């Protein structure tokens, strides 16, 4: 994983954790040789929810805090629309917002029906992922009229608040059971967490409904070719829709 500081342009890297996959039939770890992770399909990264402990254990979190950094902006690496928005940053720093966790959401379309959404659970914001929804309620979850927003995974979090919660061991996240089939035909289980699921640990956390331009994922070659076309333009490091585009969306 990569951390970049906006002021100096310095790029720092840290190693994410790796966990042993679980055989679905025996419910035992697939790993036979724990001394070598390069030659064994039994290992997997436990989702982006592992960011908090990995950043803490690497020493980078404390290093950034000691350097005077306060806010950590997190986004998916394939989201080209996820740039540092100074309006949001000013709201956090100068606007008197005492929230230690802010999530960016945007309006859901039929192309985003599997995107995670935020719900109110006992008075606290909570992330609900598609994988957590019981089969009988999947159609409700995918309904754009019932769940009108989805999580872009653009997050603004206080680094001192992260450190405090990891120190105390109270950074709780829901575990997602992910079923996979390996190349050798074995059916396995991966236990993963989502980075946005930590929102429930921060009282006063809230979401900002941002324009669709803040969510521009490139997952396939066709997505990349579209962004490289004249439908978009690069302006001050931000990819924007061309004003010559016939339709705005």
């Amino acid at each position: 994983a990569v951390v970049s500081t906006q002021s100096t342009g310095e790029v720092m890297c840290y190693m994410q954790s790796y966990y042993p996959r679980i055989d679905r039939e025996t419910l035992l770890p697939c790993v036979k040789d724990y001394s070598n992770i390069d030659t064994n399909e039994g290992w997997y990264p436990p989702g982006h929810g592992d960011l908090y402990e990995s950043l803490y254990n690497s020493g980078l979190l404390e290093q950034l805090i000691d350097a005077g950094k306060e806010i950590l902006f997190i986004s998916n690496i394939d989201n080209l629309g996820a740039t540092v928005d100074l309006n949001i940053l000013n709201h956090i720093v100068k606007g008197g917002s005492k929230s230690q966790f802010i999530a960016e959401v945007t309006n859901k379309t039929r192309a985003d029906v599997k995107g995670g959404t935020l719900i109110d659970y006992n008075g606290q914001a909570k992330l609900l992922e598609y994988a957590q929804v019981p089969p009988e309620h999947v159609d409700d979850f995918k309904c754009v009229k019932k769940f009108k927003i989805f999580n872009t995974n653009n997050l603004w979090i206080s680094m001192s608040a992260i450190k405090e919660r990891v120190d105390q061991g109270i950074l709780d996240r829901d575990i997602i059971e992910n079923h996979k089939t390996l190349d050798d035909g074995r059916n396995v289980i991966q236990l993963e967490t989502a980075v946005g699921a930590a929102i429930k640990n921060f009282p006063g956390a809230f979401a900002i409904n941002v324009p669709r331009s803040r969510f521009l994922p490139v997952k396939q070659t066709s997505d990349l070719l579209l962004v490289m076309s004249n439908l978009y333009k690069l302006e001050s490091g931000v990819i924007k829709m061309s004003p010559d585009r016939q339709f705005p969306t």
Side-chain angles (χ1 to χ4, degrees):
V2 176
V3 176
S4 176
T5 55
Q6 186 81 355
S7 57
T8 64
E10 182 182 4
V11 176
M12 297 170 283
C13 300
Y14 65 93
M15 182 71 72
Q16 188 180 4
S17 302
Y18 51 89
Y19 290 179
R21 290 186 168 107
I22 300 172
D23 189 293
R24 201 186 307 175
E25 293 184 6
T26 65
L27 298 182
L28 295 174
C30 296
V31 176
K32 303 300 182 184
D33 181 7
Y34 286 85
S35 63
N36 191 342
I37 68 168
D38 297 324
T39 59
N40 200 317
E41 264 195 325
W43 300 99
Y44 74 98
H48 42 58
D50 176 64
L51 175 142
Y52 304 103
E53 285 81 7
S54 292
L55 194 60
Y56 178 93
N57 293 332
S58 69
L60 277 181
L61 182 62
E62 188 168 1
Q63 181 181 334
L64 290 168
I65 293 173
D66 290 343
K69 311 302 180 185
E70 299 178 20
I71 305 298
L72 181 66
F73 174 60
I74 303 169
S75 67
N76 290 350
I77 197 169
D78 63 2
N79 183 6
L80 300 188
T83 55
V84 174
D85 189 311
L86 295 182
N87 293 316
I88 298 176
L89 188 59
N90 282 332
H91 174 74
I92 297 172
V93 176
K94 299 179 180 178
S97 173
K98 296 182 179 179
S99 177
Q100 298 172 327
F101 191 114
I102 297 176
E104 293 184 34
V105 298
T106 194
N107 293 339
K108 180 183 281 192
T109 69
R110 297 195 181 277
D112 315 305
V113 292
K114 291 188 177 182
T117 190
L118 292 179
I119 60 173
D120 185 317
Y121 187 79
N122 293 332
Q124 176 66 32
K126 183 176 180 179
L127 178 67
L128 179 65
E129 294 280 9
Y130 177 82
Q132 297 173 290
V133 179
E136 63 270 21
H137 293 298
V138 165
D139 288 340
D140 293 329
F141 181 83
K142 293 163 72 172
C143 178
V144 297
K145 292 183 178 180
K146 184 166 293 187
F147 293 98
K148 299 179 181 180
I149 59 170
F150 74 97
N151 174 38
T152 65
N153 234 22
N154 298 345
L155 307 172
W156 304 76
I157 313 176
S158 163
M159 284 193 277
S160 61
I162 293 174
K163 184 178 185 302
E164 177 185 348
R165 282 158 177 76
V166 177
D167 273 337
Q168 299 176 14
I170 57 173
L171 198 58
D172 182 38
R173 281 136 295 166
D174 294 336
I175 295 177
I176 301 170
E177 187 176 315
N178 195 356
H179 292 255
K180 298 275 188 178
T181 300
L182 302 183
D183 291 340
D184 60 9
R186 282 184 295 172
N187 295 316
V188 299
I189 299 172
Q190 298 182 178
L191 302 179
E192 304 176 2
T193 58
V195 65
I199 191 172
K200 66 179 182 178
N201 299 280
F202 297 82
F206 64 91
I208 298 176
N209 195 333
V210 297
R212 184 74 184 197
S213 57
R214 297 282 297 160
F215 184 72
L216 190 60
V218 173
K219 297 185 179 295
Q220 302 178 40
T221 304
S222 57
D223 297 330
L224 181 60
L225 293 175
L226 189 65
V227 171
M228 293 171 64
S229 74
N230 59 5
L231 291 175
Y232 292 90
K233 65 175 184 175
L234 187 64
E235 186 177 297
S236 300
V238 179
I239 296 176
K240 296 183 177 180
M241 291 183 183
S242 170
D244 299 327
R245 188 170 179 173
Q246 185 175 2
F247 302 104
T249 58

